Amino acid sequence: RKAFLPFGVGLTACCATGCVILRAFNRGFFTEAADPAATFADDALFLGFTCLALWGAIRTSDEYLRMQTTLQVIPPEQLFDDEDSDVGTRLTELPVYTEEPSFQDRAFAGFVTLSLCILPVPFVGPMRKMDLDTFTVGLRFDTELQSVIEAASVIISAAAAASSALAFLFAEKEFADTEQRIALQCKQACLSELFSAQAQAEAARLPLRTAVVGVLLASATLAVEFSFAVAALFPWPAFAAALPSIFGSSLLRSQANAAWQEWRKRVKGTDAVESTTLELQRIASDVLRLDKFADEIRNDLLELDIGEIREFPGLPSESRRKVHFVAAELGMPSRSLGDADARVVVVKNERGVTWNDYQINVLNDVIISFRNEVRDFIKMGVPVVAQPLLLPAGAITVGSVVAPVLGGKAVTNLMIPLLVGGVSLLTIWQERSGKVAVAIAKRETADITMRMAEADARIGRATTILAGVPMYVAVGACATIASVVPFIVHGGLPPALRLLGAPLAVVAALACMSAVERQRRAQRQIEAAMQAVEGEIPSSGVVTIRNWWVAPLFLGLLMPAHLPQRLTLMCATLAIEIVLVQFASARQLAIAEVFFMRCMRVHARADAWAQEASTASRALPFGSAAALVNILLATALADFVGPLAALFPIIGLGVCGRAIQWTVEAQAEAKNVESECRSLQTVETGLSPPWVRAEEGARRSDPKSALSWVSFGQAPPGKWSSSGVIPADIYERSLRRRKIFRRAFTQGWSGLRWATARVWVRFLGILKERKPEDEYEPSPEQTAVKSIQGNLDELRVSVRSSERNWKSTGFIVTLCAVSSIASPFIFNEPLTEIILPLAGSGLTLFAVAAESKARRRVAASKVRCAQLGEFTGSLGELAAACLMGKADILCVTGISAMIGVVALLLEKPWPVTFAREQVLLAQKVVQMLLMVFQGFMASWSVGRLFNMQRWAQAVLDTVNVPVQQATLSLQVPREVIRAIPPVRLPRAWKALSFAAAAPSLFFAVWPLWRPFYRRVVASTAAGALVIALTLMYAERAASRSDRALANRQRAYALADAFSNEAEGTAAFLPFASAASVALSAGIALVTELNPVTASALTTLQAVVWIVASRKSLATKFASIAALQVDSVTSRQAAWSRPMVRWKRKFKRLIIN
């Protein structure tokens, strides 16, 4: 709906220009003896232009009213239904069909628009001079009547253009405020995702520590068969391994709370008017007012040698912003490093800047841009779908070219501007077509975003539900182990404790029932998530709410043993069922993650294509403004340039052709979005990744902003790379080292004593009690949220609102504004009536160009974020496949532990009186089968470990590699419901797989003097130990892959946050362009009433350009920050080596 508004403004502006052209033609063509038929035809043209302008104004206001009704901003607290039910978190569904305003509202808006267009008519000069007493109507030509018709038509069409521009301005203001709110909420969501990824990285360590404790438990179980003293040593390392899990869970809770607080945080953005006021205040402070501090900074920076660095520590926020501003003017890179209370601005002189060479030639930039556009126009040619549009435009251009030859001067002055106006209308219509295509593409991606949000919420809900299942596994295992005590201890137990297995069996049954119920609830969430992303619903487990009690009761009743052994068997069976529930649940979550990550990849590619379509359409407003300027130039100069007036139609045709190319490109890329969204689970659509072409085009058009994916390499700490960037963590550590060690080494023994005392006080601080005021300090999660918000605020401070050619362009804009103000005093009235609208439209070009460049940079950063998101989704698929393999090994581990318990049950002969020999033989056969099965599972688990490590290694191979250089060696197959088929094992892994069964077989025959039942227990314990070791290595691989994935997710979340920050800044620019258009229309209207007042409005247009240009530059550098995130995180990850991790922690303890 908003896409029609620029066309409405252009249509009314062209009609107003047509009325001005006809009036200028009539002044030199009609005389007192003019033909009445000719005057009637001329008046009919006036009437046609006027009616068309009125229709355009009314339609524009109607579309603005419809757009205003469509904009429904839902508060974030109303987006979710947090009822604790089986349905879980539900997203608020948006209406399929948007609401329409009522007929009364639309009629009233049309009436008000019509009244505003007709209201200025009585104040026009000819209307005020008209004598109604002597006025007569006849067929004879009347000069007074003709002047009234001309003035009324011109003023009505100009008022219609101003009304359309005003509606366009209000629409852009509301749309800009909405876009800014959306960008702020998206940024908050990205920051919440950043904390969530950090929590995921911390949570990835916990299962590995649990697996280490499990290995120690299995080792103690095996050692107790041979030596109680050796077995007594294992609880201590198990306790030591459990301590980091306790502290890690506390840190994990803080990070999870930080993610929740970040999501609940309400950031109030500034509307367009408030943002304009703040920027004008900054302009008055930075540009117009003399600043002694800025002059001192400029002098200090100009004294720097090539490659020299200057630091500015201890500055407040506003002073740091001025340092960045001055450095940007001088063309020097600057960075703000450190924490909130210790920010340091670092500036480097890379190329040796002086007073005389930091200005560049703006005209040179314009020539380069024009040359690139001409080259792209010739390279692309005439699209096939655009030939029906270009043929009539070409015919009009040919007619305009031959008009000076076939017609006279008056006809030329009339026909050329009118024909150029027709081609310009076609150009302006392309903006509407391109924006409609982009809107449809973004609607498709928004639908996928809603689906992903619902699926992610439901998967998170399922994860929350299943978080208690490992606890139930532990409860079942503890109950099983405790139930073994009555028949392991041969004497000394009270009679009441001999039936300890009965309450333990009840506890295990309750744990099993709760686990099955949780699995059922989680499965409903997973099914809903898969329906949202069009994934395949994973199958449920073998243990359900209906049959969980059958196997324990059946085995407990049929086992020929005493009651304590039967109760232990029931506990063991229930524990195995809980393990199977955990296995099924983990596998369901892993499969759901695979399909979700695949949908994420599809969404990333579709969003990239939508942003590419947006990049193509962002140039269309500039094309429309250029077409309007061409009309005014043709109107103003056709009478002076003679035959050269034929150039204006040719220029108009070129602009129209380029606009059609942009529109066709946007429509083609919007169709690519439709192709990508055809199936949410099919990534391979035959299309090359959209960011490949975007990278090539950005490299050619704007290398400074496009090639910002800096690969830091292995530069020594504290040195600047080729891009002029210092890694923040390295620089902060160097600052802390200077603070202590510089004093220690520069002040001799006194400094050394001071450093030693500081280290000792720091060490004693560990034992220091908490002070009463410490209870009121912010929590760790609040501190984390405040820190990340401070970093983003510092980004807003450090973005450059000026650069080396900003003042040169501002000089040109100021010169145009001053010339326009002086034009009423220099030129005559007819020429002023053409020059002022021409100057207003020319100044509009600068504001529209700033918008186009900034929005295209935002789209480029969004494309790169989509590339990072697609790659993160691919890594997520591999990590989820890795989790499926870990679930298999986890299931085998639980079953092997319970087999060891069953082996303990079979130590003593079964107390049966009938067929005793056959029963004892059957018991030995069962024991032998347990040993064989345990060895087989140990061998099988090693094969699964190899298959799992392949997926994990594919993720780890991408660590420390920028996303544009990383490649994946594996892809998850399309069918993931079935188990991923294991590949053929290499020879070394085959040997290792056979060797995994060796401990079970070894302890089955050694030592020969031990009873058979004791060897069975030792054999099953050895097999359980091997499987536990396999699980530990599997957890290690899964932990490393999850942390690598979390690192990518952090980079993606941070890049997306910066990109949304840039998008929020750029949301103001369409409002600035609309304000410039409205001022241009106001100039055209007021020129008919008072040219001096109209000339003063050009000053406001210059102010609008200043504000828009500074916002454009701020958007540029925020976009560059988004582009640099991946390489910075890769660089920092490369410096965090595991071998120096504890050393760095110890240094941090001393230095801080």
Side-chain angles (χ1 to χ4, degrees):
R1 296 181 176 182
K2 176 177 168 289
F4 180 84
L5 300 182
F7 177 75
V9 174
L11 176 63
T12 54
C14 289
C15 292
T17 305
C19 291
V20 172
I21 294 170
L22 285 176
R23 184 177 63 179
F25 173 76
N26 289 346
R27 288 176 178 176
F29 185 77
F30 289 115
T31 61
E32 291 292 340
D35 186 8
T39 59
F40 289 155
D42 186 76
D43 294 340
L45 287 176
F46 273 113
L47 181 62
F49 281 130
T50 305
C51 293
L52 189 59
L54 289 174
W55 176 85
I58 295 174
R59 177 68 185 277
T60 303
S61 62
D62 183 67
E63 291 296 330
Y64 163 62
L65 185 63
R66 294 180 66 206
M67 186 212 76
Q68 191 179 34
T69 308
T70 306
L71 285 179
Q72 297 179 355
V73 181
I74 302 177
E77 59 270 9
Q78 300 180 8
L79 284 177
F80 295 98
D81 179 16
D82 294 332
E83 296 182 359
D84 189 9
S85 61
D86 291 340
V87 178
T89 302
R90 295 176 297 183
L91 285 171
T92 301
E93 295 184 359
L94 296 178
V96 178
Y97 299 101
T98 56
E99 297 183 1
E100 293 285 348
S102 62
F103 175 77
Q104 291 80 2
D105 294 339
R106 299 176 71 174
F108 179 75
F111 175 75
V112 170
T113 303
L114 184 62
S115 301
L116 291 176
C117 293
I118 300 177
L119 185 62
V121 173
F123 303 97
V124 183
M127 292 293 297
R128 293 197 304 266
K129 299 176 182 179
M130 183 177 179
D131 188 3
L132 297 178
D133 296 334
T134 60
F135 178 74
T136 58
V137 178
L139 297 179
R140 188 177 58 84
F141 176 76
D142 190 351
T143 306
E144 183 180 3
L145 176 61
Q146 187 65 30
S147 63
V148 168
I149 295 175
E150 293 173 358
S153 300
V154 170
I155 196 65
I156 291 175
S157 58
S163 174
S164 300
L166 195 62
F168 183 46
L169 175 65
F170 289 153
E172 287 292 359
K173 193 264 180 187
E174 295 185 11
F175 203 81
D177 295 341
T178 304
E179 277 191 318
Q180 188 183 44
R181 286 195 293 267
I182 292 173
L184 285 176
Q185 292 299 327
C186 290
K187 187 191 72 173
Q188 295 304 117
C190 291
L191 295 179
S192 180
E193 285 288 340
L194 186 143
F195 285 114
S196 178
Q198 184 66 33
Q200 180 181 347
E202 187 63 33
R205 305 174 186 269
L206 300 181
L208 176 59
R209 294 161 183 165
T210 305
V212 172
V213 175
V215 169
L216 294 173
L217 175 62
S219 302
T221 304
L222 178 61
V224 78
E225 294 294 325
F226 301 96
S227 173
F228 291 104
V230 175
L233 299 176
F234 287 99
W236 301 105
F239 175 74
L243 278 180
S245 297
I246 298 174
F247 298 122
S249 62
S250 177
L251 179 60
L252 174 62
R253 190 180 303 111
S254 298
Q255 291 165 348
N257 292 337
W260 175 254
Q261 289 191 7
E262 188 65 51
W263 182 83
R264 294 295 298 268
K265 187 178 179 66
R266 299 289 181 261
V267 179
K268 181 183 179 298
T270 58
D271 60 7
V273 178
E274 185 179 357
S275 178
T276 305
T277 305
L278 293 175
E279 197 63 39
L280 289 176
Q281 293 175 356
R282 286 189 173 183
I283 292 171
S285 174
D286 295 338
V287 181
L288 303 180
R289 188 177 63 188
L290 296 178
D291 194 342
K292 183 178 179 181
F293 175 77
D295 294 338
E296 292 177 356
I297 296 296
R298 185 177 291 105
N299 294 331
D300 290 342
L301 295 181
L302 287 172
E303 293 176 358
L304 295 179
D305 296 330
I306 299 178
E308 188 177 355
I309 297 174
R310 179 66 54 87
E311 299 175 4
F312 298 92
L315 297 178
S317 175
E318 185 63 23
S319 298
R320 293 197 301 271
R321 189 183 66 81
K322 291 181 179 180
V323 173
H324 291 294
F325 181 85
V326 175
E329 284 186 348
L330 300 178
M332 298 182 183
S334 60
R335 293 292 183 271
S336 182
L337 306 173
D339 296 329
D341 298 331
R343 296 283 185 185
V344 178
V345 179
V346 183
V347 184
K348 181 182 179 182
N349 185 6
E350 287 188 337
R351 293 184 295 269
V353 181
T354 62
W355 275 107
N356 298 324
D357 61 354
Y358 74 88
Q359 296 284 346
I360 67 172
N361 190 2
V362 180
L363 183 60
N364 188 34
D365 288 348
V366 175
I367 294 174
I368 293 175
S369 300
F370 178 75
R371 184 177 58 192
N372 291 335
E373 291 295 335
V374 172
R375 183 176 62 245
D376 293 339
F377 177 75
I378 297 174
K379 182 179 179 181
M380 188 173 181
V382 180
V384 178
V385 296
Q387 291 180 358
L389 296 176
L390 284 179
L391 287 178
I396 293 175
T397 304
V398 172
S400 303
V401 172
V402 300
V405 179
L406 300 180
K409 182 178 180 181
V411 176
T412 301
N413 295 339
L414 173 66
M415 294 304 298
I416 286 183
L418 290 180
L419 295 177
V420 170
V423 177
S424 299
L425 273 182
L426 181 60
T427 304
I428 298 170
W429 178 257
Q430 299 309 308
E431 181 179 357
R432 187 257 179 195
S433 302
K435 289 188 174 181
V436 167
V438 172
I440 294 174
K442 289 191 173 183
R443 185 175 61 186
E444 294 285 341
T445 58
D447 180 67
I448 302 179
T449 304
M450 291 290 292
R451 288 172 172 268
M452 288 179 57
E454 182 178 0
D456 197 12
R458 292 187 180 277
I459 291 175
R461 182 76 177 183
T463 305
T464 304
I465 294 172
L466 296 175
V469 176
M471 181 185 66
Y472 296 142
V473 173
V475 169
C478 291
T480 303
I481 294 174
S483 66
V484 177
V485 174
F487 61 88
I488 291 295
V489 179
H490 297 286
L493 286 178
L497 294 181
R498 295 177 183 176
L499 296 178
L500 182 63
L504 293 176
V506 175
V507 172
L510 292 176
C512 182
M513 183 174 61
S514 300
V516 172
E517 174 63 20
R518 283 180 175 267
Q519 183 195 15
R520 184 185 65 83
R521 293 171 55 195
Q523 186 174 0
R524 296 182 60 183
Q525 298 292 330
I526 292 175
E527 289 177 358
M530 293 300 96
Q531 291 176 358
V533 297
E534 299 179 2
E536 300 180 20
I537 299 176
S539 59
S540 59
V542 295
V543 182
T544 63
I545 194 66
R546 296 182 179 179
N547 63 3
W548 67 269
W549 54 272
V550 176
L553 184 62
F554 181 77
L555 293 177
L557 293 177
L558 293 185
M559 181 179 180
H562 296 292
L563 183 58
Q565 284 87 344
R566 294 185 179 185
L567 293 174
T568 299
L569 182 60
M570 293 178 64
C571 291
T573 307
L574 290 169
I576 290 177
E577 288 185 343
I578 299 175
V579 170
L580 292 177
V581 169
Q582 184 185 18
F583 159 71
S585 302
R587 190 170 182 80
Q588 287 176 348
L589 280 178
I591 292 174
E593 284 290 340
V594 168
F595 286 118
F596 176 77
M597 289 296 177
R598 188 167 294 167
C599 180
M600 179 179 176
R601 294 176 60 190
V602 173
H603 172 264
R605 293 171 66 97
D607 187 49
W609 283 118
Q611 295 299 332
E612 281 292 287
S614 177
T615 302
S617 68
R618 293 303 180 189
L620 291 173
F622 183 79
S624 301
L628 291 177
V629 171
N630 190 42
I631 297 176
L632 295 174
L633 284 174
T635 304
L637 302 179
D639 192 23
F640 301 98
V641 297
L644 295 179
L647 292 176
F648 296 112
I650 298 175
I651 295 174
L653 181 63
V655 174
C656 180
R658 189 64 179 134
I660 290 176
Q661 287 180 343
W662 286 328
T663 303
V664 171
E665 184 179 356
Q667 291 174 346
E669 286 160 351
K671 290 182 180 179
N672 291 337
V673 174
E674 183 181 356
S675 301
E676 293 282 358
C677 298
R678 189 174 293 114
S679 174
L680 300 184
Q681 297 300 322
T682 303
V683 180
E684 297 79 8
T685 59
L687 298 173
S688 60
W691 38 82
V692 175
R693 186 184 62 182
E695 183 175 357
E696 295 176 355
R699 183 186 294 113
R700 187 184 69 246
S701 61
D702 194 0
K704 292 183 180 179
S705 63
L707 299 181
S708 299
W709 293 74
V710 184
S711 180
F712 286 93
Q714 294 294 332
K719 300 295 182 181
W720 282 54
S721 65
S722 59
S723 63
V725 180
I726 298 179
D729 57 341
I730 298 175
Y731 189 80
E732 290 172 7
R733 290 201 299 271
S734 65
L735 289 180
R736 288 196 293 265
R737 292 191 189 101
R738 294 179 204 173
K739 185 172 63 177
I740 294 179
F741 294 105
R742 181 183 296 174
R743 183 170 179 179
F745 289 106
T746 57
Q747 298 185 7
W749 285 106
S750 62
L752 185 61
R753 286 195 302 270
W754 174 84
T756 306
R758 181 177 175 86
V759 171
W760 178 249
V761 170
R762 182 69 178 172
F763 178 74
L764 293 180
I766 301 175
L767 306 176
K768 184 173 63 175
E769 296 182 358
R770 289 177 59 86
K771 299 179 181 179
E773 58 268 19
D774 293 342
E775 300 295 333
Y776 301 96
E777 291 182 352
S779 61
E781 53 269 19
Q782 292 174 345
T783 304
V785 172
K786 183 179 179 181
S787 176
I788 194 68
Q789 289 292 343
N791 291 334
L792 288 179
D793 291 339
E794 188 64 24
L795 173 67
R796 283 191 289 271
V797 170
S798 61
V799 293
R800 306 175 182 187
S801 54
S802 177
E803 61 180 0
R804 297 174 67 186
N805 63 341
W806 185 77
K807 288 188 176 180
S808 300
T809 310
F811 175 75
I812 296 176
V813 174
T814 305
L815 182 62
C816 293
V818 172
S819 302
S820 301
I821 294 174
S823 61
F825 305 99
I826 298 176
F827 303 103
N828 56 16
E829 182 178 353
L831 192 58
T832 302
E833 291 176 353
I834 296 177
I835 290 178
L836 287 180
L838 177 62
S841 299
L843 290 175
T844 302
L845 279 177
F846 290 95
V848 175
E851 176 201 353
S852 177
K853 292 176 67 175
R855 300 295 286 234
R856 296 178 84 171
R857 289 188 181 110
V858 172
S861 66
K862 284 285 188 180
V863 170
R864 289 302 180 86
C865 289
Q867 180 184 12
L868 190 56
E870 199 272 342
F871 189 74
T872 303
S874 301
L875 295 183
E877 284 191 46
L878 296 174
C882 184
L883 291 180
M884 289 198 298
K886 189 187 78 171
D888 297 340
I889 300 176
L890 184 63
C891 176
V892 171
T893 304
I895 294 175
S896 66
M898 295 304 107
I899 286 177
V901 175
V902 174
L904 289 175
L905 295 177
L906 300 178
E907 278 189 336
K908 297 180 180 180
W910 287 336
V912 294
T913 56
F914 60 93
R916 183 173 180 80
E917 296 295 334
Q918 290 81 359
V919 172
L920 292 178
L921 179 61
Q923 184 178 0
K924 290 186 178 181
V925 171
V926 172
Q927 290 174 330
M928 294 178 64
L929 290 177
L930 289 178
M931 292 188 296
V932 173
F933 185 66
Q934 193 80 315
F936 170 75
M937 286 196 303
S939 179
W940 182 84
S941 64
V942 172
R944 296 300 296 174
L945 175 63
F946 170 75
N947 199 22
M948 173 189 170
Q949 282 192 338
R950 290 177 62 248
W951 301 105
Q953 191 61 40
V955 178
L956 296 176
D957 288 341
T958 62
V959 175
N960 306 334
V961 180
V963 66
Q964 74 277 11
Q965 300 175 5
T967 56
L968 293 177
S969 57
L970 290 175
Q971 294 289 337
V972 179
R974 177 71 174 86
E975 299 292 338
V976 296
I977 295 297
R978 298 187 297 271
I980 297 178
V983 297
R984 186 175 180 180
L985 295 178
R987 183 174 302 176
W989 278 87
K990 282 184 179 180
L992 184 61
S993 177
F994 287 117
S1000 296
L1001 300 178
F1002 176 75
F1003 285 104
V1005 298
W1006 184 88
L1008 295 176
W1009 50 267
R1010 289 171 62 89
F1012 178 71
Y1013 65 90
R1014 298 292 298 275
R1015 283 180 283 162
V1016 171
V1017 174
S1019 175
T1020 54
L1025 176 59
V1026 172
I1027 297 175
L1029 287 170
T1030 305
L1031 177 63
M1032 184 184 71
Y1033 281 104
E1035 291 286 5
R1036 179 177 177 271
S1039 175
R1040 295 177 64 193
S1041 64
D1042 284 345
R1043 279 182 287 160
L1045 174 62
N1047 185 42
R1048 288 292 183 185
Q1049 288 176 338
R1050 285 198 301 266
Y1052 172 53
L1054 191 58
D1056 206 6
F1058 286 154
S1059 181
N1060 285 303
E1061 180 76 17
E1063 189 172 17
T1065 305
F1068 166 81
L1069 294 174
F1071 171 71
S1073 299
S1076 183
V1077 171
L1079 287 173
S1080 177
I1083 290 172
L1085 175 63
V1086 179
T1087 300
E1088 299 297 324
L1089 304 175
N1090 192 340
V1092 177
T1093 304
S1095 63
L1097 293 178
T1098 57
T1099 306
L1100 297 179
Q1101 280 195 307
V1103 173
V1104 168
W1105 172 84
I1106 293 175
V1107 176
S1109 62
R1110 288 168 64 93
K1111 289 288 185 181
S1112 176
L1113 291 172
T1115 302
K1116 170 184 175 180
F1117 289 102
S1119 302
I1120 291 177
L1123 297 176
Q1124 289 179 338
V1125 165
D1126 181 66
S1127 57
V1128 170
T1129 53
S1130 301
R1131 175 67 182 88
Q1132 292 178 352
W1135 276 93
S1136 60
R1137 299 187 182 91
M1139 297 300 295
V1140 299
R1141 193 173 298 153
W1142 289 103
K1143 181 180 178 182
R1144 186 169 68 246
K1145 290 183 178 180
F1146 181 71
K1147 282 186 177 181
R1148 191 174 300 170
L1149 174 68
I1150 295 176
I1151 293 175
N1152 291 338

